[in-house]
Every structure is written in structure tokens, then in C-alpha cells.
């Protein structure tokens, strides 16, 4: 990565951060976020099932969810999620194409590993991803929605991880799954099968048709369902189950004595040690403790073990604030 | 190959209700509009970050939305890429995965279609940008296709013109593009995706002041006797888009001049801050 800051500039930033009170060049406190702008729905990506654009300072990420019907194996039984992060060439204008690809792959793998369905081993029940992928099932063992979560980093002015996860969370919360019902094939009754179409009137034909193709009302339990059809409802479908449990990331930029949140591009270079913490919360109202979903320690340097657990706890409070702010904006709960 | 939807019905209207020569609604956002004009201490968006582009524009022709960002003129990333007597122009085209339109799932960086689009834009602007004024430097143009509904190339060219204008890069003239097609004998302007699939069409990029054509792109067969009619009407339509673009540029420049004179004196700056709080 091309060095954009001189040693003097870096030391200036670190010295002012570690002074008392800590000073940041844009006047924020150490744990203040920049203004978070949110746009969602059709104004962002009209062709997607759910989409959102998050802008934090100069960092801008668009995420969109598309649902596509896929044939699934009997043992799989639920929908899958595929994540992909693309970085626009404009996001990293000072990097070569190969370096941009590396960043893309890093972010994709982080997202994919967070969002792939796993069975949790504790007593709390299933993880949010398995709850979510169950709600993507159309016909158990046969057809399910595959969720394509595409995120595009349009520009990066620091703290891209947090913004990426915020955008993905907002897009998933904005997603509506089209309502489906199973269609099953019923054996035509004896009386109707002996009649010929030509002999009967038009009304009888319709009746017969309705007899053969029965719509299984209890769609999910219809064992003999042959196919599915889309319900014609006024809304565009239901929300994804467990969407409120969708995770957020909080990046702590760690200095020996303190940490800062939402670092700008310059601060990220001066404070290279980043701790990305990913949390999921059941609901904010119950005040239940969050689930810790992932952690990445990025950049050179190290954190003492004793210090780490404190950071994880503090990260949880920040994440909780972030989630509740987003929930208010997205009108969840 | 007849489609169920009539391209041009008996009343002279197209499938989206436009008349033959009617353009789609043109939406132009010049510069970074999401950046607040007033100074806000708690929003660092008011101080541009080092990765911020020097010029940017978003152009929407109906449902087709394309943005362009210009970086430079700046020092080339690779020293060996510098040309001693002029600037090097490089265009990269990216397509958002959910932009729709073209068949096929995802188009990455090495995709042929995108490279072709980039090459077309590059060759269009190489003759227009005064590259001789910026020796040993590089001008990077990034085009992002946000939504597609036909006329991607025309939207890309128009947005690049505006972004270069916003960046203050010297050009001999603007380049304005429009697409046109022929439905039996009727010429249609500014085609949608649906219309593009059903008739021979071309994209023309014209420098309106000199009347020179810098790009003519056609991927279908069109009889030579019909070509002239299509071409002439397209060249005429370009002036309409040019006027629209110029009005946006002058509006933006006026607001920039106003904000410069606003913040000229320290007293006025303080007044601006008070307004924020």
C-alpha cells in the first residue's frame, strides 16, 4: 500500500490522540462516529429484493440482496447465502488492480464466514443465519431461495468494515421474501375424468382444472407438493426471519492506552492495529447479551491478552448503540 | 421476431409513452452532492478525504444510471506509464452486480464487454481532452454502471464529460452522446433496453460546438440509405442534451462561486457555523 502519510504526520495524529483530552482532527471524541447516512429500498437498487446504501463520512457502501430460486438437495433443506464484496476502482485509486482484488477477497471472506449458516452448539438455539436460511425454504428438500448478498464499496475514507456490515445489515433488514404457496397434484376424481372437455361447458372445465391442481394451503408442510406459485399479495412479501439478529461490526483502532472508533483514512494509517469485532443481538428491548460472532485483528502490532477481553466488552456496548440507532432508522421492533 | 409489445403504435407512441423523438427524463448530479456545502465540525465529509475524486457526476437517462469519477491529472502510479509530452488517459468500467439489464450474473474487471466499453470511452476522450497540457501525468476515469435500461454507452460518455468538467480538466469541447434506432422507417431516439433488443441502433458522440463526431458505435445492420436519417436526427438530439448539461454546469459553478465569496471573510465563515448549530 502506498504510504500517504509521512512519519511526522503519523506522530502528530498519535500524539494528539493520546493527549488529555484526546483530540481528533475533525473534533470528534474518541468513540464518536461520523454522521451515518442511510438510504434504502427502490431508490438504491430497484431490481434487488432489498438494498441499502450507507455513507459514513466519505466512506460509501451499497449492499443489495437478490433472491433466486434454486433446487436443493434433500439433506440440505434450506436456502443458502452467497456473499460477495466488490470494490469499485474509485474506492482505492492509489492501489493497483491486484491489490484491489486482495481487499475484495478479504472483505468477501469475512462477510461469507459471518453469514454462512451454522448450527450453534450452545443452548440458546440456532444462530441467526440458520434461522434466516430456514425462512428461505420454499419446498422443503426441493426448492429454496438462494440469497445473493452483493456489497459494493464505492469509496473508502476509512472504517470500511463497519460501514460494510452496516450496509449489509440494512439491506437484509430491507429484504422482502416473496410469498409462495405450494401447488400439489391431485388425482382427478373418477366422475370428472370420464367427462371429455368437448362435452362439457366452459365452466365445467374450470372446475375440473381446479380439481386437479390443488393449492396446498399449508405450504411448508405439503409433502406431495409438486411446485410452487407466487402469491399475489399487496405487499412485496414478508421480512426475513431473524433479520433483527443480523450482525454489526465495530472496529476498534487500538493504541497502547486507548482505542478510537470510526477512524478516518489518515487515522487508520497512523494507528495501524485494527480489531474488528462482530456482534449479533437478539432484540435490543430484552437487553439480552449479544452474541459474539467474529473477530479479526488486522495490521501490525499486538494486543496483550488481558487487555483483549476488556476491548471485546467495550465493543459490545458500542455495537449495541449502533444497532439500536439503526433499528430506529429501519423501524425494526 | 415480433414482440408482444409494440415498439411504435399506430398513435405514434412508444411502449413507455414517449413519442418518436422524445428523450427520456435526464437526471444530472454534478459533483459530490452528498457532501454538505456548509462546514460541520462533526462531519468529516466536509473535508475531502485523500481518496476523494477530483470530479464526479451521475447521469440518469430514464432508468439507466451511470456515474463517473475522475482522478487527476496526477502523477502516474507506475513511473514507466508516464508519457513525456502528454497525459495518459485510462478508463475503467465497473458494473454493479445488481444493475440488471444484460444477461449473465456478474461481470468482473476483466470482462470483455466492460473492457470494450472502456476502450470506446477512452478513444472518444483521448482526442477531446487537452492531454498536451498535462505531460507525464495520468488521468484516471472510473465509470460505474448503477442501473441499466439501454443506452449505457451514451450515459457513460455524458457522465464522463460532466465529471471531467467538474474536475476542471481542459477539453477542446464537450462530448455529448445519444442513441438512436430505426423501426422500419421511423427513427427513435434514446432507446430503452427493450427497444435496443428489437431494432438496429447506434450511439453517436458529437462535439456540439464544432459538430465533429468522435464516436459512432453500431452493432447491427442498417441500410445505408436509412443511415443518414438516423444519424442526422441523433446529431440534432445531442444539442438538446448539451443544453441540459450546460444549465447544470452553470448552476453548479454559480453555487461554487457563491460559496467561495461567502467564505472569503472570517466574519462570514463564523456566520455559516452558527447556522449549522
Amino acid at each position: 500500500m502506498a504510504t500517504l502519510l509521512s512519519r511526522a504526520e503519523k506522530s502528530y495524529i498519535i500524539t494528539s490522540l493520546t493527549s488529555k483530552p484526546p483530540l481528533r482532527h475533525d473534533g470528534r471524541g474518541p468513540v464518536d462516529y461520523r454522521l451515518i447516512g442511510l438510504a434504502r429500498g427502490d431508490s438504491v437498487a430497484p431490481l434487488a429484493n432489498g438494498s441499502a446504501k450507507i455513507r459514513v463520512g466519505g466512506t460509501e457502501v451499497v449492499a443489495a440482496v437478490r433472491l433466486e430460486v434454486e433446487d436443493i438437495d434433500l439433506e440440505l433443506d434450506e436456502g443458502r447465502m452467497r456473499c460477495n464484496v466488490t470494490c469499485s476502482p474509485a474506492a482505492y485509486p492509489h492501489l493497483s488492480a491486484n491489490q484491489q482484488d486482495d481487499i475484495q477477497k478479504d472483505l468477501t471472506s469475512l462477510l461469507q464466514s459471518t453469514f454462512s449458516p451454522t448450527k450453534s452448539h450452545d443452548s440458546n438455539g440456532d444462530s441467526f443465519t440458520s434461522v434466516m436460511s430456514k425462512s428461505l425454504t420454499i419446498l422443503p428438500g426441493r426448492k429454496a431461495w438462494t440469497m445473493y448478498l452483493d456489497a459494493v464499496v464505492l469509496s473508502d475514507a476509512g472504517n470500511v468494515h463497519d460501514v460494510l456490515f452496516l450496509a449489509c445489515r440494512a439491506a437484509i433488514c430491507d429484504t422482502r421474501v416473496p410469498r409462495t404457496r405450494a401447488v400439489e397434484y391431485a388425482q382427478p376424481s373418477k366422475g370428472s375424468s370420464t367427462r371429455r372437455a368437448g362435452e362439457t361447458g366452459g365452466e365445467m372445465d374450470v372446475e375440473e382444472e381446479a380439481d386437479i391442481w390443488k393449492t396446498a394451503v399449508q405450504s411448508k408442510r405439503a409433502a406431495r407438493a409438486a411446485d410452487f406459485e407466487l402469491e399475489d399479495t399487496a405487499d412485496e412479501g414478508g421480512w426475513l426471519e431473524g433479520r433483527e439478529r443480523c450482525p454489526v461490526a465495530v472496529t476498534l483502532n487500538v493504541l497502547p492506552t486507548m482505542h478510537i472508533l470510526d477512524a478516518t483514512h489518515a487515522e487508520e494509517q497512523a494507528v495501524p492495529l485494527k480489531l474488528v469485532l462482530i456482534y449479533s443481538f437478539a432484540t435490543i428491548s430484552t437487553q439480552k447479551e449479544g452474541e459474539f460472532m467474529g473477530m479479526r485483528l488486522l495490521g501490525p502490532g499486538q494486543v496483550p491478552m488481558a487487555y483483549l477481553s476488556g476491548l471485546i466488552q467495550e465493543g459490545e456496548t458500542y455495537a449495541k448503540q449502533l444497532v439500536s440507532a439503526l433499528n430506529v432508522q429501519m423501524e425494526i421492533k | 421476431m415480433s414482440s408482444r409489445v409494440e415498439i411504435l403504435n399506430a398513435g405514434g407512441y412508444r411502449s413507455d409513452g414517449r413519442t418518436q423523438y422524445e428523450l427520456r427524463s435526464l437526471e444530472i448530479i454534478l459533483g459530490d452532492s452528498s457532501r454538505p456545502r456548509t462546514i460541520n465540525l462533526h462531519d468529516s465529509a466536509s473535508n475531502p478525504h485523500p481518496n476523494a475524486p477530483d470530479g464526479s457526476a451521475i447521469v440518469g437517462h430514464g432508468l439507466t444510471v451511470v456515474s463517473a469519477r475522475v482522478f487527476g491529472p496526477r502523477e502516474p502510479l507506475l513511473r514507466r506509464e508516464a508519457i513525456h509530452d502528454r497525459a495518459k488517459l485510462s478508463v475503467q468500467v465497473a458494473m454493479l452486480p445488481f444493475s440488471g439489464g444484460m444477461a449473465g450474473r456478474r461481470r468482473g474487471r476483466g470482462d470483455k464487454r466492460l473492457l470494450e466499453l472502456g476502450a470506446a470511452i477512452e478513444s472518444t476522450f483521448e482526442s477531446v481532452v487537452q492531454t498536451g497540457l498535462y505531460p507525464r501525468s495520468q488521468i484516471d476515469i472510473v465509470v460505474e454502471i448503477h442501473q441499466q435500461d439501454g443506452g449505457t454507452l451514451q450515459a457513460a460518455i455524458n457522465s464522463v464529460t460532466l465529471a471531467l468538467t467538474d474536475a476542471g480538466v481542459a477539453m477542446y469541447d464537450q462530448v455529448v452522446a445519444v442513441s438512436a434506432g430505426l423501426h422500419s422507417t421511423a427513427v427513435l431516439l434514446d432507446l430503452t433496453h427493450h427497444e435496443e433488443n428489437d431494432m438496429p441502433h447506434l450511439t453517436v458522440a458529437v462535439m456540439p460546438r464544432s459538430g465533429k463526431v468522435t464516436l459512432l458505435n453500431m452493432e447491427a445492420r442498417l441500410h445505408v440509405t436509412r443511415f443518414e436519417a438516423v444519424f442526422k436526427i441523433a446529431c440534432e438530439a445531442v444539442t438538446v442534451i448539451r443544453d441540459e448539461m450546460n444549465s447544470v454546469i452553470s448552476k453548479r459553478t454559480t453555487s461554487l462561486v457563491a460559496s467561495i465569496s461567502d467564505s472569503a471573510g472570517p466574519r462570514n465563515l463564523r456566520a455559516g457555523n452558527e447556522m449549522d448549530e
Side-chain angles (χ1 to χ4, degrees), chain A residues 69-79 133-145 180-184 216-228:
Chain A
V69 178
E70 196 186 41
D71 294 328
I72 52 169
D73 300 332
L74 272 170
E75 63 265 33
L76 188 70
D77 209 34
E78 52 196 26
S133 51
K134 263 182 202 136
S135 74
L136 291 172
T137 311
I138 301 171
L139 298 176
R142 304 188 63 168
K143 282 188 194 299
W145 298 106
T180 55
R181 63 179 160 226
V183 175
E184 94 182 272
V217 181
Q218 285 169 333
S219 57
K220 296 281 151 99
R221 252 176 263 147
R224 300 190 308 166
D227 209 341
F228 72 96

Side-chain angles (χ1 to χ4, degrees), chain B residues 89-159:
Chain B
L89 212 66
S90 83
V91 179
Q92 276 177 293
V93 183
M95 190 180 284
L96 267 58
F98 34 83
S99 64
M102 278 189 236
R105 168 153 305 288
R106 185 164 287 121
R107 288 174 185 275
R109 193 174 285 121
D111 186 85
K112 290 262 163 55
R113 184 86 200 167
L114 294 185
L115 288 177
E116 192 191 333
L117 202 60
I121 299 167
E122 204 170 295
S123 61
T124 307
F125 282 92
E126 215 135 53
S127 57
V128 182
V129 174
Q130 299 193 20
T131 47
L133 290 180
Y134 314 105
R136 294 181 298 284
S137 56
Q138 181 179 348
I139 300 171
D140 286 307
I141 300 167
V142 178
V143 177
E144 282 159 357
I145 301 165
H146 292 250
Q147 286 175 42
Q148 304 183 63
D149 183 33
T152 315
L153 181 59
Q154 78 175 41
I157 289 174
N158 293 342
S159 65

Side-chain angles (χ1 to χ4, degrees), chain A residues 26 34 68 88 101 150, chain B residues 41 44 105-106 109 144:
Chain A
D26 46 11
R34 290 168 285 185
E68 280 172 27
S88 158
D101 279 344
D150 288 301
Chain B
L41 275 181
S44 50
R105 168 153 305 288
R106 185 164 287 121
R109 193 174 285 121
E144 282 159 357

Side-chain angles (χ1 to χ4, degrees), chain A residues 55 58, chain B residues 32-38 43-49 52-53:
Chain A
R55 190 184 171 100
Chain B
D32 201 346
S33 63
S34 50
R35 183 174 296 163
R37 297 242 152 68
T38 49
D43 185 14
S44 50
S46 51
N47 350 312
H49 57 95

Side-chain angles (χ1 to χ4, degrees), chain A residues 21-261:
Chain A
L23 296 167
R24 296 176 82 167
H25 75 279
D26 46 11
R28 285 184 286 154
V31 295
D32 287 348
Y33 264 80
R34 290 168 285 185
L35 280 185
I36 300 175
L38 165 74
R40 65 182 167 124
D42 281 351
S43 63
V44 180
L47 290 169
N49 296 73
S51 57
K53 186 189 228 171
I54 296 271
R55 190 184 171 100
V56 179
T59 307
E60 200 170 6
V61 176
V62 188
V65 172
R66 284 175 308 139
L67 300 172
E68 280 172 27
V69 178
E70 196 186 41
D71 294 328
I72 52 169
D73 300 332
L74 272 170
E75 63 265 33
L76 188 70
D77 209 34
E78 52 196 26
R80 289 190 292 171
M81 292 186 215
R82 298 259 181 83
C83 305
N84 188 56
V85 182
T86 324
C87 293
S88 158
Y92 300 97
H94 56 286
L95 297 184
S96 70
N98 287 335
Q99 288 168 312
Q100 289 178 24
D101 279 344
D102 286 347
I103 294 177
Q104 242 167 243
K105 277 179 195 147
D106 275 359
L107 294 175
T108 303
S109 75
L110 180 63
L111 211 60
Q112 182 69 58
S113 61
T114 312
F115 282 93
S116 24
T118 47
K119 301 272 181 253
S120 69
H121 301 292
D122 58 3
S123 56
N124 287 354
D126 288 340
S127 65
F128 94 96
T129 40
S130 59
V131 171
M132 198 175 274
S133 51
K134 263 182 202 136
S135 74
L136 291 172
T137 311
I138 301 171
L139 298 176
R142 304 188 63 168
K143 282 188 194 299
W145 298 106
T146 300
M147 189 172 111
Y148 290 94
L149 175 61
D150 288 301
V152 181
V153 181
L154 291 177
S155 67
D156 180 6
N159 199 18
V160 71
H161 291 96
D162 293 11
V163 184
L164 175 68
F165 271 83
L166 271 181
C168 290
R169 186 179 200 276
I172 286 174
C173 291
D174 185 58
T175 301
R176 282 176 180 273
V177 186
R179 292 183 208 280
T180 55
R181 63 179 160 226
V183 175
E184 94 182 272
Y185 180 75
Q187 197 78 15
S189 61
K190 231 180 179 184
S192 63
S193 62
T194 51
R195 277 203 297 264
R196 291 277 160 88
E199 293 167 16
T200 56
E203 285 170 30
M204 294 303 281
D205 270 348
V206 175
E207 209 173 286
E208 195 175 333
E209 200 108 305
D211 208 24
I212 294 173
W213 291 96
K214 262 191 191 147
T215 302
V217 181
Q218 285 169 333
S219 57
K220 296 281 151 99
R221 252 176 263 147
R224 300 190 308 166
D227 209 341
F228 72 96
E229 59 184 17
L230 290 174
E231 277 183 57
D232 194 15
T233 50
D235 58 349
E236 288 164 68
W239 303 113
L240 272 169
E241 245 168 75
R243 60 178 186 140
E244 67 283 344
R245 288 173 68 186
C246 194
V248 286
V250 170
T251 306
L252 307 180
N253 296 69
V254 185
L255 280 165
T257 52
M258 48 104 64
H259 56 262
I260 57 168
L261 288 186

Side-chain angles (χ1 to χ4, degrees), chain B:
Chain B
M1 212 186 91
S2 65
S3 56
R4 276 187 297 163
V5 181
E6 273 182 301
I7 296 288
L8 192 68
N9 67 15
Y13 290 103
R14 296 203 243 166
S15 53
D16 54 358
R18 285 185 289 158
T19 55
Q20 242 176 301
Y21 301 149
E22 194 175 337
L23 301 173
R24 286 179 283 179
S25 67
L26 183 63
E27 186 198 9
I28 299 173
I29 300 170
L30 190 60
D32 201 346
S33 63
S34 50
R35 183 174 296 163
R37 297 242 152 68
T38 49
I39 296 159
N40 186 341
L41 275 181
H42 295 288
D43 185 14
S44 50
S46 51
N47 350 312
H49 57 95
N51 286 351
D54 296 286
S56 66
I58 301 172
V59 169
H61 289 277
L63 291 174
T64 303
V65 179
V66 173
S67 77
R69 290 189 250 186
V70 171
F71 298 87
R74 61 178 185 180
E75 203 175 327
L77 292 179
L78 297 170
R79 195 50 69 79
R80 63 166 182 270
E81 284 191 348
I83 308 169
H84 74 96
D85 61 344
R86 62 189 165 93
K88 182 182 180 290
L89 212 66
S90 83
V91 179
Q92 276 177 293
V93 183
M95 190 180 284
L96 267 58
F98 34 83
S99 64
M102 278 189 236
R105 168 153 305 288
R106 185 164 287 121
R107 288 174 185 275
R109 193 174 285 121
D111 186 85
K112 290 262 163 55
R113 184 86 200 167
L114 294 185
L115 288 177
E116 192 191 333
L117 202 60
I121 299 167
E122 204 170 295
S123 61
T124 307
F125 282 92
E126 215 135 53
S127 57
V128 182
V129 174
Q130 299 193 20
T131 47
L133 290 180
Y134 314 105
R136 294 181 298 284
S137 56
Q138 181 179 348
I139 300 171
D140 286 307
I141 300 167
V142 178
V143 177
E144 282 159 357
I145 301 165
H146 292 250
Q147 286 175 42
Q148 304 183 63
D149 183 33
T152 315
L153 181 59
Q154 78 175 41
I157 289 174
N158 293 342
S159 65
V160 169
T161 299
L162 287 163
L164 283 168
T165 313
D166 188 43
V169 173
M171 291 189 282
Y172 292 107
D173 197 353
Q174 289 167 303
V175 186
V176 185
V178 77
S179 67
L182 190 73
H183 177 65
S184 69
T185 58
V187 180
L188 306 185
L189 282 174
D190 198 6
L191 309 180
T192 62
H193 180 70
H194 172 71
E195 289 167 338
E196 271 185 354
N197 282 341
D198 273 5
M199 64 173 111
H201 64 275
L202 50 94
T203 303
V204 193
V206 183
M207 293 156 63
R209 204 153 39 143
S210 56
K212 286 181 186 164
V213 176
T214 57
L215 173 115
L216 183 65
N217 193 334
M218 185 162 73
E219 291 172 358
R221 288 185 304 170
L222 185 62
H223 198 271
V224 73
T225 49
R226 301 280 180 215
F227 176 79
E228 197 187 350
V230 181
F231 183 68
K232 263 189 179 159
I233 288 167
C235 289
E236 230 172 284
V238 154
T239 56
V240 177
I241 298 179
R242 190 260 330 255
D243 291 345
E244 201 63 40
M245 280 163 65
N246 278 348
S247 79
V248 174
I249 292 170
S250 70
K251 206 182 280 175
R252 160 92 171 156
T253 315
T254 315
S255 81
L256 280 179
V257 169
S259 62
I260 288 171
S261 52
D262 271 355
S263 56
R267 204 187 54 188
N268 287 330
L269 188 68
R270 208 177 304 132
N273 267 340
E274 275 163 14
M275 255 168 55
D276 263 349
E277 290 155 15

